[in-house]
DNA sequence: ATCCATAAAATCTTATCGATATTATTATCA
DNA sequence: TGATAATAATATCGATAAGATTTTATGGAT
């Protein structure tokens, strides 16, 4: 057996297209509403339509694009209704994730990383670097999902976070302020460390629901019907 | 505009392959562990590999099959760990679904259908027709998901139910008894009708968690490591 | 002479391509 | 306005290239 074959890392065209398109959607290079025929996308990525198509199907399953029968692929825009639906689900799922994390032995490196994120976020806030703070905030939520030990739960939370990623960014930038008490994050962290399942779960839940209210307010005041 | 164009129902080969394969997986014709090269599947379905492949990618995204790089498509088997993960998520999500349903005006026909299912289930139980009862039980859970008004929540619950569908069937048949108090279902129904969000939500949650315990016990006693 | 390890060859299956058939939409014309 | 033609994009196919696995050969050691 060859010495190093733990990571498959086969790097196929489909994977390549998938990763690139996903990254472009998440960072806003391909904005919501962007639409293009498959041949165009394929040409841009330098490959034939087949792998692009397969990547698009995966992205559609993850709720990032819409494949319109004879219209091409469209990057999904997020409406207020979408945000409500997603945040409601996230509130429960993140609550569960924190509960599970608090009820088990979370790998030490994860806890350290979480703590590091917390202090970095504090710094960013002091320096009024909202952009950076938002990034750290998002990262914290993703990391929490990884502490729960339930791989499906983790994947589902990450998928939902991806779907609202741009909306979060846009609205936060618009608001130029944190979406909710940054303090919640520390409370969640402490609850996990101390094994306080109920408290952690409830803080995570209400944190997300408070975030929903903020988002609704921002959407309203910005007049944007979708993001 | 043509008179009837509400339902698109375009019936493409991909959709066809998707529906057929999904049905065959759910009803057990393609049992867990079943594995076949793409050309075989395509030949069986009477079409080329392309649409089959696209259907398989969708099924993979839904957690029903595994596409192994040079090995073909494999129908996923469900382990105890999988069941734990899925039931834990379902407990939260079904709890939320019932809460939302209780908090809104559920379409009358849905409520009627739910009630019909309840009485049919009672009959089936009286006649000791476990098979039929299990079917009605499953149907009830799916219908509940449809009452919540959150389309993503509905889709996610249905997807999770699909993933444990065969496990449910197999173990219930093995047990030859309902998985938990059928009474819970009526409680949930009444809570939705009466708008008792907290009660309904909690019953749904504990109902699912009780189901998990039953499943664990059945798995243990049957000696099956996966289903 | 037999058996194991290694290398070469054959085979099998996917990954990807380019081309064609199909069909929704748009444009054109009476 | 309604029918028809043109267009454009997908849906699907069949073929090929690439890659892994298995089989078969081969050579040396006991």
């Amino acid at each position: 057996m060859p010495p190093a074959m733990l990571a498959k890392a086969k790097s196929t065209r489909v994977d390549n297209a998938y990763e690139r398109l996903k990254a472009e959607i998440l960072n806003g290079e391909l904005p919501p509403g962007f639409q293009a025929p498959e041949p165009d996308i394929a040409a841009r990525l330098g490959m034939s339509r087949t792998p692009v198509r397969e990547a698009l199907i995966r992205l559609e399953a993850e709720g990032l694009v819409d494949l319109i029968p004879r219209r091409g692929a469209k990057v999904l825009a997020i409406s207020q209704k979408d945000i409500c639906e997603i945040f409601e689900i996230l509130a429960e799922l993140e609550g569960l994730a924190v509960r599970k994390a608090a009820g088990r032995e979370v790998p030490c490196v994860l806890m350290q990383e979480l703590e590091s994120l917390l202090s970095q976020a504090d710094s960013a806030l002091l320096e009024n670097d909202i952009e950076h703070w938002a990034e750290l905030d998002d990262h914290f939520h993703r990391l929490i999902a990884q502490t729960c030990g339930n791989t499906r739960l983790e994947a589902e939370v990450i998928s939902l976070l991806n779907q609202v990623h741009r909306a979060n960014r846009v609205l936060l930038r618009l608001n130029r302020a944190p979406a909710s008490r940054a303090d919640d994050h520390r409370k969640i962290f402490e609850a996990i460390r101390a094994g306080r399942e109920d408290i952690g779960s409830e803080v995570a839940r209400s944190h997300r629901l408070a975030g929903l209210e903020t988002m609704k307010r921002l959407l309203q005041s910005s007049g944007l019907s979708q993001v």
Side-chain angles (χ1 to χ4, degrees), chain A:
Chain A
M1 186 190 334
M5 69 165 298
L6 290 177
K8 42 173 60 173
K10 58 197 151 146
S11 182
T12 152
R13 290 236 217 301
V14 181
D15 292 332
N16 205 289
Y18 171 80
E19 296 297 346
R20 270 179 74 179
L21 289 173
K22 181 161 153 183
E24 290 177 342
I25 292 173
L26 290 184
N27 72 22
E29 279 178 68
L30 294 180
F34 173 87
Q35 189 170 346
E38 288 172 11
D40 293 10
I41 304 176
R44 191 164 62 80
L45 298 185
M47 58 182 77
S48 93
R49 276 180 50 218
T50 310
V52 169
R53 194 166 164 64
E54 297 184 359
L56 287 174
I57 293 174
R58 285 172 60 183
L59 290 169
E60 184 181 39
E62 291 177 35
L64 290 179
V65 313
D66 191 15
L67 255 33
I68 309 173
R70 293 193 178 270
R71 276 297 151 88
K74 183 162 105 176
V75 177
L76 281 178
I78 296 288
S79 69
Q80 171 160 20
K81 175 160 176 287
D82 294 319
I83 291 182
C84 289
E85 289 198 359
I86 292 171
F87 273 52
E88 271 179 1
I89 300 173
L90 268 180
E92 299 300 325
L93 258 28
E94 290 186 321
L96 174 61
V98 170
R99 173 182 305 282
K100 299 302 290 182
R104 77 182 202 121
E105 195 64 41
V106 176
C108 198
V109 335
L110 277 182
M111 292 306 284
Q112 287 171 350
E113 211 171 330
L114 279 174
E115 190 155 29
S116 159
L117 280 177
L118 283 176
S119 60
Q120 284 182 258
D122 286 344
S123 307
L125 216 49
L126 281 178
E127 298 170 25
N128 228 8
D129 187 349
I130 304 294
E131 203 79 20
H132 190 205
W133 176 87
E135 207 174 291
L136 293 163
D137 179 277
D138 182 66
H139 196 359
F140 182 85
H141 281 274
R142 287 165 194 269
L143 216 48
I144 286 291
Q146 288 173 40
T147 62
C148 75
N150 178 331
T151 58
R152 285 160 212 270
L153 178 54
E154 176 186 337
E156 181 61 21
V157 168
I158 301 250
S159 170
L160 291 170
L161 288 176
N162 282 341
Q163 289 177 50
V164 290
H165 186 258
R166 290 150 307 153
N168 267 328
R169 290 275 288 244
V170 169
L171 289 179
L172 260 292
R173 192 167 322 179
L174 218 145
N175 187 227
R176 306 218 53 78
S180 59
R181 301 177 307 262
D183 196 34
D184 280 352
H185 283 196
R186 191 164 290 279
K187 281 189 197 158
I188 290 170
F189 173 76
E190 295 298 347
I192 292 176
R193 172 146 69 186
R196 311 285 283 269
E197 301 183 15
D198 288 343
I199 291 180
S201 168
E202 192 43 40
V203 173
R205 224 181 86 93
S206 62
H207 178 72
R208 180 57 68 184
L209 291 177
L212 172 55
E213 293 310 315
T214 305
M215 293 290 274
K216 276 190 199 166
R217 191 152 23 80
L218 285 175
L219 263 177
Q220 225 79 59
S221 68
S222 72
L224 269 42
S225 81
Q226 27 178 54
V227 186

